[in-house]
Amino acid sequence: MKGYEAMTNYGRSYTPPVFHTEKASTAQIKVMQVVFDTLQDSGIDFAVVQRDGKRKDELVIKGYGDFDLNEKSEILAEVVEMYMDDKTIYISME
């Protein structure tokens, strides 16, 4: 199929999805876990942005699969931009 052969700058045929669960309820996260398990079982790389359970002002970006440094930088830059107006936010990447 033409058009689907184009690769991203990082050698992928798709941009890995980034799921933002930092404002989701416990029930919503349980539903999303089914999606995350399916993606992992399918070998699809993705990332999840979530609140750290210990600190209300900390976000954790967790990657599932292989991400190169450029992809990690893009995800981090996007999250930083989203939270730029917050007084203090700590972001870690796993």
Side-chain angles (χ1 to χ4, degrees):
M1 293 184 182
K2 291 208 176 213
Y4 292 96
E5 296 140 14
M7 301 295 271
T8 64
N9 293 336
Y10 316 115
R12 292 184 190 273
S13 58
Y14 68 97
T15 300
V18 178
F19 296 94
H20 290 267
T21 64
E22 62 268 34
K23 295 182 181 180
S25 69
T26 302
Q28 290 169 324
I29 291 172
K30 283 183 181 180
V31 170
M32 288 304 298
Q33 190 58 52
V34 175
V35 174
F36 301 153
D37 292 343
T38 302
L39 291 172
Q40 277 187 290
D41 291 346
S42 300
I44 296 173
D45 298 341
F46 65 98
V48 177
V49 181
Q50 58 196 24
R51 291 269 177 205
D52 183 334
K54 301 171 201 131
R55 294 182 60 168
K56 196 175 182 181
D57 59 351
E58 183 172 1
L59 296 176
V60 177
I61 304 169
K62 188 164 184 179
Y64 295 86
D66 295 322
F67 288 85
D68 68 22
L69 187 58
N70 289 326
E71 288 173 314
K72 289 180 180 180
S73 296
E74 284 185 6
I75 293 168
L76 182 58
E78 176 185 301
V79 173
V80 167
E81 186 175 333
M82 288 175 67
Y83 286 91
M84 199 166 292
D85 291 339
D86 287 14
K87 273 188 170 182
T88 304
I89 193 86
Y90 301 95
I91 302 172
S92 61
M93 199 162 206
E94 295 179 0

